[in-house]
Amino acid sequence: MVVDKSYKIATLGSHSALQILKGAKDEGFSTICVCAKGREKPYQQFKVADKIITIKNYSEFEKIQDELVKENAIIIPHASFITYIGYEKIEKLKVPYFGNKKILKWESDRNLERKWLTQAGLKLPKVFKKPEDIDRPVIIKFHGADGGKGYFLAKNYKDFQKKIKLHTGKKYVIQEYILGVHMYAHYFHSPLTNETELMGFDKRYESNVDSLGRISARDQMALPKEQVDPSYVIVGNIPIVVRESFLPRFMQKGENVVKISKKIAPPGLFGPFCLETVLTPDEEIICFEISTRIVAGTNPYINGSPYTWMKYNEPMSTGRRIAREIKLAIQQNKLNKVLG
Amino acid sequence: MVVDKSYKIATLGSHSALQILKGAKDEGFSTICVCAKGREKPYQQFKVADKIITIKNYSEFEKIQDELVKENAIIIPHASFITYIGYEKIEKLKVPYFGNKKILKWESDRNLERKWLTQAGLKLPKVFKKPEDIDRPVIIKFHGADGGKGYFLAKNYKDFQKKIKLHTGKKYVIQEYILGVHMYAHYFHSPLTNETELMGFDKRYESNVDSLGRISARDQMALPKEQVDPSYVIVGNIPIVVRESFLPRFMQKGENVVKISKKIAPPGLFGPFCLETVLTPDEEIICFEISTRIVAGTNPYINGSPYTWMKYNEPMSTGRRIAREIKLAIQQNKLNKVLG
Amino acid sequence: MVVDKSYKIATLGSHSALQILKGAKDEGFSTICVCAKGREKPYQQFKVADKIITIKNYSEFEKIQDELVKENAIIIPHASFITYIGYEKIEKLKVPYFGNKKILKWESDRNLERKWLTQAGLKLPKVFKKPEDIDRPVIIKFHGADGGKGYFLAKNYKDFQKKIKLHTGKKYVIQEYILGVHMYAHYFHSPLTNETELMGFDKRYESNVDSLGRISARDQMALPKEQVDPSYVIVGNIPIVVRESFLPRFMQKGENVVKISKKIAPPGLFGPFCLETVLTPDEEIICFEISTRIVAGTNPYINGSPYTWMKYNEPMSTGRRIAREIKLAIQQNKLNKVLG
C-alpha cells in the first residue's frame, strides 16, 4: 500500500507522541512534532519526527496552525494536547483533527460521562451528590489540574466533614470507595470496519500511593500523617494482561460504549479510547471513567501488546493503529469518516 | 516442516486459549475453540479459531466429543478445562489429550502434591495438621472454587480459634505464613528431548489484596474490618524477570520435579507446568504449589518471553511450544509420547 | 557488517550475562561464559555461550585470565563481576575490559558519588552526617554485601537512637526519607558518537518489602514486629514506562552525568549506566544512586525495550548495545576508546 504522501501526521510532543509518530512512520507517513521549548530531545533521539516545530509554550499552538495546514497535516490528539490547548479551542481548530470533537464534552463533564456510561450498561461507583447522603466508605476526588493530589478516603459522613475542612474552596466529587484492583482497558474503534478492537491493558504507576505499601503499618502509624498521605499522580505505566475469562465482558463494554456514543454524539466515538476500571473480588468490573482518546497506558506497547500481536502478527501499537486507520481512509476515499 | 493436516488443535475458550490457539496456528495447525455461549468474541476477534463450537454450558462438553474425534482434534487442557470438566471425567475422555492424565491427582490432592514436591527436594511451607500445633504466624486457605476469597492470617493458635469461627463447615489447610514476594516460574518438559525448559516468570495480580497497600495504614485501621479484609482472586498477570543468580536453582527444581514424577506417575509430567514460589529476604525459594498444565501467568508472553527469545529467536509462547511439541511428535512418529 | 572474528566477548555467568552473551552472538561474536561450578545451566540451555569455563569459586577468576587473553576475549563487567572480583583487582586485570575502570571508585564511594551527581545538577536526598542533625523522617541504609536487609525508617532523632541499638558495629548512611515511587532509568553512552541513549526503565521487585502491602494494617500490627520488618533484597525486575513528559529531564540528567564524569575521571563514563530515582507527587526526580555499568533492570528487555524499538527497529537489549559498540569500535579502528 502506498500512502498519499501529501498528508502528514502531527502531534504535540508529550504524553504518547512517541508511539503516535513512530506508528505514523511505520505506516509510511511523514511526521511533525510540535514541542514546547526544551522538550524536543526525545523526539530527536528516537528519530520519530521528520520535522520539529518549537513553540515557546502551548498557548502558541494556534499561531502555528497555518503552518500545519500548509503542510497538509492531520493532528492526533492526546490527553496533554486536550489539556494544554483546551476543549473549546480544539472545537475551533482549522487543522484536520483525528477523532470526533463532539465527544469531548461527554468525557469532560462528569454528569454527561455518567449518563453515557450508565446507558451503555456499565456498572459505576455510586456518587453522593450531598455529603449528608454518605452511607459507606467514599473517596473524595478533586477537579482540575492538580492531578490526583489530595484525594482522600472518608469512612462516613462525620469523617468526611472533618477531612474536607482542609480543602475549602475546592470542587470535588464524592465517590463510593470500591476496594479492588485497577485495570485500564485500551480499545480502538474503526469507523471503517465498525469493529471495536481490544488493544491491551495496563496498570498505572502512581506517586506516592504505589510506594505506600512498602512502608510497614507500624512505621506509617509512627510517621506524621501528612508524610504518608497518599497522592495519585501518574508517573508511569506497567504492562499487564487480564484474566482471559474477563475478556468477553470487556469487549462487550467497549462495544456498548461506542453504540451509545452514536446516539449522543453522532457519528459517535471512534479511534482509541480507554475504560478505567476496578476489578473486585466478586469478579465485577466497575468502570469509574472513560478516556475518549489515546491513553499513556498504551505506551508500554510501542512494539505491540500481547493482544495486538494476535490480531496483526506485526508490531501494532495504538499509535500505529491510528495511522493505519488514516491510511486506509485515504485509500478508500473516506478521510472524512475519521476527521472530526 | 509440514504439519500433518489431519490433526487439529482444540481447547476450551477461556484461561489461556488465545495463546494455545494462536500458537497452534503459528505451527501450521487448524484450530477449534469450544466456547460456552456468549464467550466466543475474543476467539473471533483475535482470529485464532478456525472453528468455534458453542455449547450451552461446560457440562455439555462430553456431548461434542464425537465431533472433536471426527475432526481428529487433540485437546489441550488448561486450568479452566480441568475445573469445568472435572478430573474424573477427563480420565475417561475419548478425544486425544495432550499431557499425562495420571499426574492430575498428584496436583489436586494436597497430600500427594506435598509428597511429590518434598521428594523432589523442594522447600515447602510447614503445614499444621492440627490447629493446636500452630507455633508461628499462619495463613488459612480454603479448598475449592471460591478462588482465594476468605483466606486469612492468624498470628497464633488463639488468633486462629477466634477467626475460624466465621468459616464453619469449610475445608481448609493451615500453612506457615512465609513473608516474601511471589514468583511464578513457567516450565515446559519435552518428552521428545527429555529437556526441562524454563519459559518465563510472572507475578499475579489479585483482587483486592494487590490494592490493599494503596490504602494508608491509618485509613485501613479506620475503615470497617470487613471492608479491608484481603481476598486473593486472580484477575491478571504481570510480566517479570527473576534475578539471574536464582536461575540455576529454579532450573534444577524444575528438573527434579519431572524426575520424581516419572516414578510416581509414569511416564511422568510433561508439557507445561508451573512452580508457585515465594522468594524470601534470605534468598530462599519456597514452593507452595505446582500446576501440572499451562498457567495463565504465561499469557503476557504471547509474543515470547525474555527467556524464550533467547532459546528460540522467534516468538515462542508456551501455547506455541505445545503445538511445536505435537508437530515434532507427529513428524517423528511419536505422537503417543505426548498424549496421555 | 563483518565482525573481526579474532575478538570474543566474555563475562561472568550471573546478573545480566544472558543478555550480554545473547547480544554478543546477535552481533556476530563468539562468546565465553565464566561460571562458578554448578551455575552453568542457564548459559547452556539458552545457548548463549559458545564456551563455558567453570571455576570453583570467583576468587579463581584471576587464574583463568591468561586463557581469556589467549582467546582474545573482551570482558564485560556487571554488578556481580565487580562484587565478586573486587574493585581493586579489577584495576589490575590484564584481560581487555569494556568500560572506564577509573569511574568505579566514584560509584563505590558514597561521598565521591554524591559530589559527582551534585555537580551534574541532580537532586539528591539530604544526607545527615551526624544523627543529631536528623530533622525529618530518614531511612538508614547499611553498607556492604547484606543487600538491603535491615534498612529501617526513623521518624526523628529519638526514634533513630532507639532503633540503631539493634545494629551495633555496622556502617550506615542516614538519608532523608523521600516518599515517592522508584524508577530506574537505563542509559548507554557511546564514546564513538558521544550520544547518551535512553534504553529503558524498570521497577525492582524486592523481598520482602514488595509483599508487605498485601498484609492488612490490622494484621501487620498484630504480627510480631520482626515478622513484618521490611527488607529490600532484589529478586526480580518488572518492565515499566515513564510518563512521557518526564523524558526530557531524564535524558538531560543522563547527559549531565556523563559530562561531569569526563572531568572527574577522563575519558569519562561510557557504556551502560543507570540512575536510580524516586519520583515524587510533586513530579520531582530525586536521584539516590548511580550504577556505572549494566544493571539487572535491563533483563526484561532481552528482546528490546519500548524505547530501543523506536531507535533501532530491531531487538536491541543493553547487552546487545554493548556488543554493537565494540563491533563498531573494531570496524572504526577505535577499540581503545571502549576499553578502560
Side-chain angles (χ1 to χ4, degrees):
Chain A
M1 289 186 285
V2 180
V3 180
D4 185 336
K5 286 289 183 196
S6 65
Y7 286 102
K8 293 179 181 169
I9 299 289
T11 196
L12 215 57
S14 193
H15 189 270
S16 50
L18 284 172
Q19 62 161 304
I20 290 170
L21 299 172
K22 160 76 168 150
K25 286 187 72 73
D26 285 345
E27 293 297 311
F29 288 100
S30 281
T31 58
I32 300 171
C33 191
V34 182
C35 289
K37 202 168 162 50
R39 295 182 158 241
E40 303 90 343
K41 216 180 281 274
Y43 310 99
Q44 290 163 341
Q45 181 170 108
F46 294 117
K47 297 178 181 165
V48 293
D50 292 310
K51 180 175 184 173
I52 290 179
I53 301 175
T54 301
I55 54 181
K56 266 192 207 157
N57 51 58
Y58 296 115
S59 63
E60 280 197 346
F61 182 78
E62 285 166 295
K63 289 192 197 168
I64 56 117
Q65 262 215 82
D66 288 338
E67 189 175 345
L68 291 178
V69 171
K70 211 170 131 196
E71 291 270 18
N72 215 15
I74 296 169
I75 193 105
I76 314 296
H78 50 56
S80 303
F81 179 81
I82 294 165
T83 306
Y84 293 146
I85 309 302
Y87 154 55
E88 282 163 32
K89 284 190 181 168
I90 286 172
E91 290 219 317
K92 296 172 198 150
L93 281 186
K94 289 174 294 182
V95 56
Y97 171 101
F98 177 79
N100 178 358
K101 290 179 184 177
K102 280 180 271 177
I103 210 74
L104 291 176
K105 73 168 179 184
W106 287 84
E107 177 197 58
S108 59
D109 179 318
R110 280 189 199 265
N111 292 325
L112 288 178
E113 183 189 28
R114 202 171 172 80
K115 198 174 153 190
W116 174 15
L117 298 178
T118 306
Q119 279 188 40
L122 274 57
K123 285 185 188 168
L124 279 72
K126 198 172 155 64
V127 163
F128 297 91
K129 294 197 177 163
K130 290 180 295 177
E132 306 87 276
D133 296 341
I134 296 174
D135 63 356
R136 67 195 74 183
V138 290
I139 182 164
I140 287 77
K141 296 178 174 177
F142 296 101
H143 293 264
D146 236 8
K149 285 180 72 177
Y151 287 11
F152 66 86
L153 291 188
K155 62 174 169 167
N156 52 34
Y157 176 46
K158 204 176 145 188
D159 195 29
F160 169 84
Q161 279 182 303
K162 200 180 73 184
K163 290 175 174 169
I164 197 67
K165 284 178 188 162
L166 300 167
H167 303 274
T168 43
K170 289 191 200 166
K171 281 195 170 182
Y172 57 82
V173 61
I174 305 173
Q175 243 178 32
E176 174 187 13
Y177 185 71
I178 309 265
L179 190 52
V181 295
H182 288 77
M183 185 67 78
Y184 299 85
H186 322 139
Y187 302 86
F188 185 92
H189 182 76
S190 164
L192 302 176
T193 66
N194 202 26
E195 190 183 14
T196 306
E197 303 174 18
L198 186 68
M199 302 297 285
F201 295 88
D202 82 293
K203 175 174 142 45
R204 288 185 181 164
Y205 192 47
E206 295 173 334
S207 183
N208 59 13
V209 72
D210 279 317
S211 64
L212 209 56
R214 289 167 52 100
I215 309 174
S216 74
R218 276 184 183 80
D219 279 339
Q220 285 191 46
M221 300 301 280
L223 285 170
K225 188 181 166 308
E226 59 280 9
Q227 284 275 344
V228 287
D229 265 347
S231 303
Y232 303 83
V233 177
I234 307 171
V235 298
N237 301 86
I238 296 171
I240 195 166
V241 295
V242 82
R243 186 168 146 187
E244 194 163 310
S245 60
F246 281 52
L247 284 181
R249 282 188 290 158
F250 267 112
M251 296 171 88
Q252 192 60 59
K253 282 174 205 297
E255 292 180 6
N256 290 354
V257 160
V258 170
K259 195 175 155 194
I260 301 301
S261 76
K262 290 179 182 177
K263 296 183 193 162
I264 60 176
L269 173 61
F270 63 84
F273 66 98
C274 175
L275 292 179
E276 311 181 4
T277 73
V278 166
L279 307 183
T280 73
D282 296 318
E283 303 185 17
E284 284 199 309
I285 302 172
I286 312 293
C287 182
F288 55 97
E289 224 161 288
I290 186 170
S291 296
T292 62
R293 25 80 205 161
I294 188 169
V295 288
T298 62
N299 284 340
Y301 303 119
I302 280 179
N303 195 45
S305 83
Y307 302 92
T308 62
W309 272 106
M310 280 190 292
K311 191 173 169 67
Y312 290 98
N313 261 318
E314 62 181 327
M316 186 57 69
S317 68
T318 294
R320 185 172 181 180
R321 186 64 189 81
I322 294 171
R324 172 73 57 93
E325 192 76 1
I326 294 172
K327 187 166 81 173
L328 292 172
I330 293 168
Q331 287 167 349
Q332 297 171 20
N333 236 334
K334 292 177 178 170
L335 194 53
N336 65 317
K337 287 199 103 174
V338 302
L339 303 180
Chain B
M1 289 186 284
V2 181
V3 179
D4 185 335
K5 285 288 181 195
S6 65
Y7 288 101
K8 294 180 181 169
I9 299 289
T11 195
L12 215 58
S14 192
H15 189 270
S16 50
L18 284 171
Q19 62 162 303
I20 290 171
L21 299 172
K22 160 77 168 150
K25 286 186 72 72
D26 285 345
E27 293 298 309
F29 288 99
S30 280
T31 58
I32 300 170
C33 191
V34 182
C35 289
K37 202 168 161 50
R39 295 180 159 240
E40 304 90 343
K41 217 180 280 272
Y43 310 99
Q44 291 163 340
Q45 180 170 109
F46 294 118
K47 297 178 182 167
V48 294
D50 292 310
K51 180 175 183 173
I52 290 179
I53 300 176
T54 301
I55 55 181
K56 266 193 208 157
N57 51 59
Y58 295 116
S59 63
E60 279 196 348
F61 182 77
E62 284 167 295
K63 289 193 196 167
I64 56 116
Q65 262 215 82
D66 288 338
E67 188 175 345
L68 291 177
V69 170
K70 211 170 133 193
E71 291 269 20
N72 214 14
I74 297 169
I75 192 105
I76 314 296
H78 49 57
S80 303
F81 180 80
I82 293 165
T83 304
Y84 293 144
I85 309 302
Y87 154 55
E88 282 162 32
K89 284 190 182 169
I90 286 172
E91 290 220 318
K92 294 171 199 153
L93 282 185
K94 289 175 294 182
V95 57
Y97 171 102
F98 177 79
N100 178 359
K101 290 178 184 176
K102 281 180 271 177
I103 210 74
L104 291 177
K105 73 168 180 184
W106 287 85
E107 179 197 58
S108 60
D109 178 317
R110 281 189 197 264
N111 293 324
L112 288 177
E113 182 190 27
R114 202 170 172 80
K115 199 175 152 187
W116 174 16
L117 298 179
T118 307
Q119 278 188 40
L122 274 57
K123 286 185 189 169
L124 279 71
K126 198 172 154 64
V127 163
F128 296 92
K129 294 195 177 163
K130 291 180 295 180
E132 305 87 276
D133 296 341
I134 296 173
D135 64 356
R136 68 195 74 183
V138 290
I139 182 162
I140 286 78
K141 295 178 175 178
F142 295 100
H143 292 264
D146 235 10
K149 284 181 71 178
Y151 288 10
F152 66 86
L153 293 188
K155 62 174 170 168
N156 52 33
Y157 175 47
K158 205 175 144 189
D159 195 28
F160 169 84
Q161 279 181 305
K162 200 179 74 185
K163 290 175 175 169
I164 197 67
K165 285 179 188 160
L166 301 167
H167 303 274
T168 44
K170 288 192 201 166
K171 282 195 171 182
Y172 57 80
V173 60
I174 305 172
Q175 244 179 32
E176 174 188 13
Y177 185 71
I178 310 264
L179 188 53
V181 296
H182 287 78
M183 184 67 79
Y184 299 85
H186 322 139
Y187 302 86
F188 185 92
H189 182 75
S190 164
L192 301 177
T193 66
N194 202 26
E195 190 182 15
T196 306
E197 304 173 18
L198 186 68
M199 302 297 285
F201 295 87
D202 82 292
K203 172 173 142 50
R204 288 184 181 163
Y205 191 47
E206 294 172 335
S207 182
N208 59 14
V209 71
D210 280 316
S211 63
L212 209 56
R214 289 168 52 101
I215 309 173
S216 74
R218 276 184 183 79
D219 279 339
Q220 286 191 46
M221 300 301 278
L223 286 170
K225 187 181 167 306
E226 59 281 9
Q227 284 274 345
V228 286
D229 265 347
S231 302
Y232 304 83
V233 177
I234 308 172
V235 297
N237 301 87
I238 296 171
I240 194 166
V241 297
V242 82
R243 185 167 148 188
E244 194 163 310
S245 60
F246 281 51
L247 284 181
R249 283 188 289 158
F250 267 111
M251 294 172 88
Q252 192 60 58
K253 281 174 205 299
E255 292 180 8
N256 290 354
V257 160
V258 170
K259 195 175 155 194
I260 300 301
S261 76
K262 292 179 181 176
K263 295 183 193 163
I264 60 176
L269 174 61
F270 63 85
F273 65 99
C274 175
L275 292 179
E276 310 181 4
T277 73
V278 166
L279 307 183
T280 74
D282 296 318
E283 302 183 19
E284 283 199 308
I285 303 172
I286 312 293
C287 182
F288 57 95
E289 223 161 288
I290 187 169
S291 296
T292 62
R293 25 81 206 161
I294 188 169
V295 289
T298 62
N299 285 339
Y301 303 119
I302 280 179
N303 195 46
S305 83
Y307 301 92
T308 63
W309 272 105
M310 280 191 292
K311 190 171 170 68
Y312 289 97
N313 261 318
E314 62 181 328
M316 186 56 69
S317 68
T318 294
R320 184 173 181 180
R321 185 65 189 80
I322 294 171
R324 172 73 57 93
E325 192 76 0
I326 293 172
K327 187 165 81 173
L328 291 172
I330 293 168
Q331 287 167 349
Q332 298 171 20
N333 237 333
K334 292 178 177 167
L335 194 53
N336 65 317
K337 288 200 103 175
V338 302
L339 303 181
Chain C
M1 288 185 284
V2 180
V3 179
D4 185 335
K5 285 287 182 194
S6 64
Y7 287 103
K8 293 179 181 169
I9 299 289
T11 196
L12 214 58
S14 193
H15 189 269
S16 50
L18 284 171
Q19 62 162 304
I20 290 170
L21 300 172
K22 161 77 169 149
K25 286 186 73 72
D26 285 346
E27 293 298 311
F29 288 99
S30 281
T31 58
I32 300 171
C33 190
V34 182
C35 289
K37 202 168 162 49
R39 295 182 159 240
E40 303 91 344
K41 216 179 282 273
Y43 311 100
Q44 290 163 341
Q45 180 170 109
F46 294 117
K47 297 179 180 165
V48 294
D50 292 309
K51 181 175 183 172
I52 290 180
I53 300 175
T54 302
I55 54 181
K56 267 193 207 155
N57 51 58
Y58 296 116
S59 63
E60 278 197 347
F61 182 78
E62 285 167 294
K63 288 192 195 166
I64 56 116
Q65 262 215 82
D66 288 338
E67 190 176 344
L68 291 178
V69 170
K70 213 171 130 194
E71 291 269 20
N72 215 15
I74 296 169
I75 193 106
I76 314 296
H78 49 57
S80 303
F81 180 80
I82 293 166
T83 305
Y84 292 145
I85 309 301
Y87 154 54
E88 282 163 31
K89 283 190 181 168
I90 286 172
E91 290 220 318
K92 296 171 197 149
L93 281 185
K94 287 174 296 182
V95 57
Y97 171 102
F98 177 80
N100 178 359
K101 289 179 184 177
K102 281 180 271 178
I103 210 76
L104 291 177
K105 73 168 179 183
W106 287 84
E107 178 197 58
S108 60
D109 178 317
R110 281 189 197 264
N111 292 324
L112 288 178
E113 183 190 26
R114 204 172 169 80
K115 197 174 153 187
W116 174 16
L117 298 179
T118 308
Q119 278 188 40
L122 273 58
K123 285 185 190 169
L124 278 72
K126 197 171 157 64
V127 164
F128 296 92
K129 294 196 177 163
K130 292 180 294 180
E132 305 88 275
D133 297 341
I134 296 172
D135 64 355
R136 68 194 75 183
V138 290
I139 182 164
I140 286 78
K141 295 179 174 176
F142 295 101
H143 293 266
D146 236 10
K149 284 180 69 177
Y151 288 11
F152 67 87
L153 292 187
K155 63 174 170 167
N156 52 34
Y157 175 46
K158 204 176 145 188
D159 195 28
F160 169 83
Q161 279 181 305
K162 199 180 73 184
K163 289 175 175 169
I164 197 66
K165 284 178 188 160
L166 300 168
H167 303 275
T168 43
K170 288 192 200 165
K171 282 195 170 183
Y172 57 82
V173 60
I174 306 172
Q175 242 179 34
E176 175 187 14
Y177 185 71
I178 309 266
L179 189 53
V181 296
H182 287 79
M183 185 66 79
Y184 298 86
H186 321 140
Y187 303 86
F188 185 93
H189 182 75
S190 164
L192 302 176
T193 66
N194 202 27
E195 190 182 14
T196 306
E197 302 173 19
L198 186 68
M199 303 296 287
F201 294 87
D202 82 292
K203 174 172 142 48
R204 288 184 181 165
Y205 192 46
E206 294 173 334
S207 182
N208 60 12
V209 71
D210 279 317
S211 64
L212 209 56
R214 289 168 52 102
I215 308 173
S216 75
R218 276 184 183 80
D219 279 339
Q220 285 191 46
M221 301 301 278
L223 285 171
K225 187 181 167 304
E226 59 280 9
Q227 284 275 345
V228 286
D229 265 347
S231 302
Y232 303 83
V233 177
I234 307 171
V235 298
N237 301 87
I238 296 171
I240 194 167
V241 296
V242 82
R243 184 168 148 187
E244 194 162 311
S245 60
F246 281 51
L247 285 180
R249 283 188 290 157
F250 267 112
M251 295 172 88
Q252 192 61 58
K253 281 174 206 299
E255 291 180 6
N256 290 353
V257 160
V258 170
K259 194 175 157 194
I260 301 300
S261 76
K262 291 179 180 175
K263 295 182 193 162
I264 60 176
L269 173 61
F270 63 84
F273 65 99
C274 175
L275 293 179
E276 310 180 6
T277 74
V278 166
L279 307 183
T280 74
D282 295 318
E283 302 183 20
E284 283 200 308
I285 302 172
I286 312 292
C287 182
F288 57 96
E289 222 162 290
I290 185 170
S291 296
T292 61
R293 26 80 206 161
I294 187 170
V295 289
T298 61
N299 284 340
Y301 303 119
I302 281 178
N303 195 46
S305 82
Y307 301 93
T308 63
W309 272 105
M310 280 190 292
K311 190 172 170 72
Y312 289 97
N313 260 317
E314 62 181 328
M316 185 57 68
S317 68
T318 294
R320 184 173 181 180
R321 186 63 188 82
I322 294 171
R324 172 74 56 93
E325 191 76 2
I326 293 172
K327 187 166 82 174
L328 292 172
I330 293 168
Q331 288 167 349
Q332 298 172 18
N333 237 333
K334 291 177 178 169
L335 194 53
N336 64 318
K337 287 199 104 174
V338 301
L339 304 181

